[in-house]
Amino acid sequence: MRHLEKHKGHRTGWLRAAVLGANDGIVSTASLVLGVAATGAGSKAILVAGVASLVAGAMSMAAGEYVSVSSQADTENADLARERVELANQPDHEHAELTSIYVDRGLDENLAQQVATQLMAHDALGAHARDELGLSDTLAAKPVQAALASAATFAAGALLPLLVALLLPANLLMWGVAGSALFFLAALGALAAQAGGSSMRVATVRVTFWGALAMGLTAGVGALFGVAA
């Protein structure tokens, strides 16, 4: 009977983009709301600034993720194209190269040659992509997926402090937004750790610490340089 194991590695692509988007949405929007509020601005100005942050941030995240991951995909495709040419023109050299990789991983010379021969007969490019270049379908760059995940999660994250700012009276706005943002960040860290199979405590402390630092600095700048609107 085949033993099935459940791993989390296949989630790294979308999980990284989703966590980055949601974290940035919460932190940047909450920080902006606190910074504007610290200047003495009215509720309308605070909400307008928050909504602008949501829209601009979501579009920026989508564009940034798409461009950066597309660059990664271009590099991967260029490496695969080069490997394809080398396999066509120098199959013996490529076989020796793959054999050397397996020897370095602990196989004896004869077994390494047999493994390289069988894998290249089955899927030469796939074998070299995986074992020489470190590429796989699971971890391959997916620009559109990363862009959509970042934009959607940024907007979802940014909406949370905006809703709190909309519902709270002016005298409770700063403490309410700051406290709720830290709660949301802690929850995000715990959920991300659970999805990725890592330590929930470490992830929670990490995201709340940096979120608190960002909000504190932004509110401080607003209070120091702001003027009542």
Side-chain angles (χ1 to χ4, degrees):
M1 182 179 293
R2 185 180 179 185
H3 176 60
L4 298 178
E5 294 183 347
K6 294 182 178 181
H7 297 285
K8 311 291 186 179
H10 65 283
R11 299 176 176 176
T12 54
W14 65 262
L15 184 60
R16 181 195 65 82
V19 171
L20 177 63
N23 182 81
D24 275 6
I26 296 170
V27 173
S28 63
T29 303
S31 296
L32 183 61
V33 166
L34 292 175
V36 174
T39 68
S43 298
K44 183 177 180 180
I46 293 171
L47 290 175
V48 169
V51 172
S53 172
L54 186 156
V55 175
M59 295 305 298
S60 176
M61 289 292 294
E65 281 290 331
Y66 185 83
V67 170
S68 63
V69 179
S70 291
S71 297
Q72 178 187 340
D74 291 343
T75 301
E76 293 176 358
N77 290 332
D79 283 342
L80 288 174
R82 178 180 177 181
E83 199 65 30
R84 191 178 290 109
V85 172
E86 292 176 348
L87 284 168
N89 297 332
Q90 300 175 303
D92 292 340
H93 173 76
E94 292 301 300
H95 181 275
E97 192 173 38
L98 202 59
T99 298
S100 176
I101 291 172
Y102 297 143
V103 169
D104 290 341
R105 292 181 181 177
L107 299 183
D108 62 58
E109 184 76 23
N110 290 332
L111 181 57
Q113 289 181 357
Q114 294 176 35
V115 172
T117 299
Q118 292 186 31
L119 288 178
M120 289 185 67
H122 174 69
D123 181 8
L125 183 61
H128 281 269
R130 180 179 60 252
D131 294 323
E132 181 184 349
L133 303 177
L135 304 177
S136 68
D137 290 338
T138 300
L139 301 178
K142 298 179 176 64
V144 174
Q145 182 190 72
L148 291 177
S150 291
T153 53
F154 182 97
L159 191 60
L160 296 174
L162 271 182
L163 290 175
V164 173
L166 181 64
L167 295 173
L168 287 179
N171 61 319
L172 298 177
L173 190 145
M174 291 193 65
W175 288 109
V177 169
S180 62
L182 292 178
F183 172 79
F184 296 142
L185 287 170
L188 173 65
L191 287 173
Q194 186 179 39
S198 58
S199 169
M200 294 177 67
R201 183 179 67 177
V202 171
T204 299
V205 171
R206 182 169 55 219
V207 297
T208 52
F209 170 78
W210 290 107
L213 181 62
M215 289 186 290
L217 289 175
T218 309
V221 169
L224 183 62
F225 297 104
V227 293

